[in-house]
Every structure is written in structure tokens, then in C-alpha cells.
Amino acid sequence: MTDLKSQRRLAAKIIDCGENRVWMDPDSQGEIAEAITREDVRELVNQGVIREKRKKGVSRGRARERDEKRDYGHQKGPGTRKGKSGARSDPKDEWKSTIRALRKELRRMKDDDEIDASTYRDLYAKAKGGEFDSVRYLKNYVEGMED
């Protein structure tokens, strides 16, 4: 077998990849060995006798499988967790989604004349103060007021 180290090196420079990723056609070794100048090697690259091998990536298959299980609620136990609960789910983000849902519901109730403007203001302030954990609690509170 002929030594094609210099051709491999030149090809790597031309293709702009690492030497290990240069593929040379095993049937054209003689032709490759004759290519001694950069121009000769460039010609072989254009002909497809010398090519760049594909990069090897990291498979996401296992990660997808794990994510699927976690969506289901598995693999989330204390042995898996790293970081405090506040680092895993930002308390501010939780608050934002809760308060937005409450305010949206309050707005709907006011528009549908379930509550009047002064009650709306009162409940809005209570929501801001953290009185209601969720829309369900808000609705229960309003039902209790009506009785």
C-alpha cells in the first residue's frame, strides 16, 4: 500500500477538515499517489476521488426517550434532582402564570357582570396579595360571597 500522508494532509487543507475525515477512493490509490501538487489534489477533490467524511454526532435517541418518560412523570425523583426547587422551576415564573390566569378570570367575570366594579377592585387587590392559589380558589371565594 502506498504512503498517501502528504496527499491526505493537502486534501485536509483544501477541504478544510481534519486529516482523519479525509476519504480516499481505495480503487484510485495509484492516481492519488501521482498527485503531488496542491493543484493535483484539488482536481481529485473536484472529481470526487477524495471526499470529506461526515462528522459523527451524538445521538439524541436516549435523551428523547428520557424526556418522554419525564413528561409522564418518571425519573424525576430526589436522586435525579440537582439544585434547589427554586432553581428547577423559577418561583417568579410560577407567580406570573398564576397571577395572569387570575387577572384574566377576574376580567371575564367583570365583563360577564358576575361581579361589579368595586368587587373586581377588591378581588384584584386580594389576588395581588396572594390570597388565591389558583382560579379555582378564586371561583370558590366568589361563590362563598354570593351565599
Side-chain angles (χ1 to χ4, degrees):
M1 187 169 156
T2 54
D3 183 32
L4 305 173
K5 273 186 186 172
S6 59
Q7 284 84 347
R8 184 175 294 277
R9 184 181 52 76
L10 288 171
K13 286 268 191 181
I14 291 164
I15 299 170
D16 193 26
C17 71
E19 289 181 28
N20 290 334
R21 286 198 29 231
V22 172
W23 176 85
M24 297 179 170
D25 188 359
D27 301 333
S28 309
Q29 281 198 349
E31 193 180 345
I32 295 168
E34 289 171 17
I36 51 173
T37 66
R38 189 178 286 265
E39 195 54 50
D40 295 340
V41 175
R42 190 175 285 115
E43 189 64 39
L44 292 174
V45 169
N46 291 339
Q47 288 173 17
V49 175
I50 299 174
R51 283 197 300 257
E52 179 182 6
K53 284 184 196 170
R54 267 185 149 165
K55 271 188 178 173
K56 285 185 183 144
V58 179
S59 169
R60 289 259 328 141
R62 288 182 301 278
R64 266 187 237 106
E65 203 173 297
R66 186 176 59 244
D67 291 344
E68 215 171 273
K69 284 185 176 175
R70 284 185 180 163
D71 287 344
Y72 197 72
H74 294 186
Q75 296 188 357
K76 283 183 159 184
T80 303
R81 296 178 206 155
K82 289 190 174 186
K84 289 197 143 185
S85 61
R88 289 173 62 83
S89 61
D90 185 13
K92 186 172 181 178
D93 286 341
E94 286 177 22
W95 166 255
K96 285 194 299 193
S97 66
T98 305
I99 196 70
R100 284 172 185 172
L102 288 168
R103 287 174 178 169
K104 193 174 181 182
E105 183 61 23
L106 282 169
R107 166 61 64 182
R108 189 197 61 74
M109 289 172 143
K110 185 179 158 196
D111 291 344
D112 294 351
D113 293 327
E114 289 179 36
I115 54 173
D116 61 342
S118 63
T119 311
Y120 170 81
R121 266 290 124 217
D122 184 42
L123 292 174
Y124 192 97
K126 277 181 163 46
K128 184 180 180 184
E131 183 90 8
F132 312 113
D133 291 344
S134 66
V135 172
R136 192 181 73 207
Y137 280 88
L138 172 68
K139 286 181 177 175
N140 285 346
Y141 186 87
V142 171
E143 282 174 22
M145 284 173 39
E146 292 168 356
D147 293 342

